[in-house]
């Protein structure tokens, strides 16, 4: 019929197209040692400093989707960094998409 959805369309209720690639990293209280950049309007990991608690968890080009479930997909690099610093005394959950640049 005319109302048949293309395959998988009903699976994409989540705002992220590749939901199966979404991962979480948990940062302990303190500095995280991650530099954020903006690519195509979305915050991405630019660099993970040596000795960072997130070394080996986050990689350059990882798209930062949320921090503690606060949507960061349209934030500036400064806003994402500010959000991480603001919650510096707590464990932080960083939701990210592995190395995919959204256009």
């Amino acid at each position: 019929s005319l109302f048949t959805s293309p395959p998988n369309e009903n699976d994409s209720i989540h705002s992220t197209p590749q939901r199966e690639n979404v991962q979480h990293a948990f940062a302990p209280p303190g500095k995280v040692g991650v530099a954020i950049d903006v690519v195509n309007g979305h915050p991405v990991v630019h660099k993970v400093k040596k000795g960072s608690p997130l070394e080996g968890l986050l990689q350059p080009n990882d798209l930062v989707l949320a921090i503690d479930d606060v949507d960061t997909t349209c934030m500036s690099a400064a806003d994402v960094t500010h959000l991480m610093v603001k919650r510096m005394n707590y464990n932080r959950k960083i939701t990210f998409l592995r190395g995919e640049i959204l256009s």
Side-chain angles (χ1 to χ4, degrees):
S1 82
L2 292 173
F3 299 107
T4 307
S5 303
N8 296 334
E9 186 162 287
N10 293 337
D11 296 345
S12 59
I13 300 159
H14 212 292
S15 59
T16 308
Q18 310 92 341
R19 153 175 78 171
E20 65 277 5
N21 296 333
V22 171
Q23 299 177 55
H24 302 285
F26 292 89
K31 292 191 172 196
V32 291
V34 174
I36 302 293
D37 198 3
V38 170
V39 178
N40 297 332
H42 302 289
V44 296
V45 174
H46 175 67
K47 185 179 169 196
V48 182
K49 292 190 179 115
K50 212 150 188 49
S52 160
L54 295 172
E55 194 177 16
L57 296 172
L58 289 179
Q59 296 176 2
N61 296 326
D62 284 347
L63 176 68
V64 182
L65 300 175
I67 294 166
D68 291 332
D69 297 319
V70 175
D71 183 350
T72 57
T73 51
C74 295
M75 284 188 184
S76 69
D79 286 344
V80 173
T81 304
H82 178 73
L83 189 57
M84 286 221 220
V85 169
K86 195 168 82 172
R87 302 192 52 78
M88 191 160 142
N89 297 328
Y90 305 94
N91 285 308
R92 287 148 293 177
K93 179 172 86 171
I94 299 160
T95 306
F96 65 97
L97 194 57
R98 170 67 7 109
E100 305 212 19
I101 305 295
L102 299 182
S103 50

